[in-house]
Amino acid sequence: MTDDDWLWVRLLDVPRALTARGWFTDGELVLDVIDPFLDERGRHLLTVRDGKAECVPTDRTPDLSLDVRDLGSLYLGGTTPSTLVRAGHVHAHHAEAAATADALFRSDREPHCLHWF
């Protein structure tokens, strides 16, 4: 038996990707995103209003710290942020952070891959 990944996303331009995604809930979240492969780190303020997102650099205290690979999972909507917090993949800096992220990253459908690549 082998482990295979058939569908995954790696966000190279975090602000652009997050502003292009659909959103169902208004809210605000500061994401501290680490990309060890590119040796980059960026802190982004994600603000969602009326289904539209704005994502800008910020020096505010983060709500969540996460690897860009975990952000890809959240972006697709198949894994909740609170699940990744409990698994130790995402660090929530305060008690409400995971619940806020769960509401913001909610998706109307699970990601699905019809084809093997």
Side-chain angles (χ1 to χ4, degrees):
M1 177 178 242
T2 63
D3 290 328
D4 295 309
D5 289 328
W6 298 110
L7 179 63
W8 56 274
V9 170
R10 181 182 183 84
L11 303 181
L12 297 176
D13 186 340
V14 171
R16 189 171 185 184
L18 292 178
T19 57
R21 185 186 188 274
W23 301 93
F24 297 98
T25 304
D26 290 350
E28 190 174 273
L29 204 59
V30 176
L31 303 170
D32 192 26
V33 181
I34 303 154
D35 187 336
F37 181 74
L38 296 178
D39 196 28
E40 293 179 352
R41 174 181 224 124
R43 191 168 295 167
H44 309 279
L45 171 60
L46 172 66
T47 305
V48 180
R49 298 284 179 259
D50 299 322
K52 303 282 185 202
E54 179 182 14
C55 188
V56 297
T58 187
D59 59 358
R60 286 178 37 183
T61 302
D63 297 304
L64 297 178
S65 294
L66 66 165
D67 188 287
V68 71
R69 294 170 291 192
D70 294 312
L71 182 57
S73 294
L74 301 181
Y75 184 82
L76 288 174
T79 304
T80 63
S82 59
T83 298
L84 293 178
V85 168
R86 286 191 305 273
H89 285 261
V90 173
H91 176 71
H93 293 272
H94 57 84
E96 303 83 31
T100 300
D102 281 354
L104 280 174
F105 281 95
R106 180 180 69 84
S107 178
D108 64 342
R109 66 182 85 162
E110 293 284 319
H112 181 75
C113 181
L114 293 174
H115 303 285
W116 295 358
F117 295 83

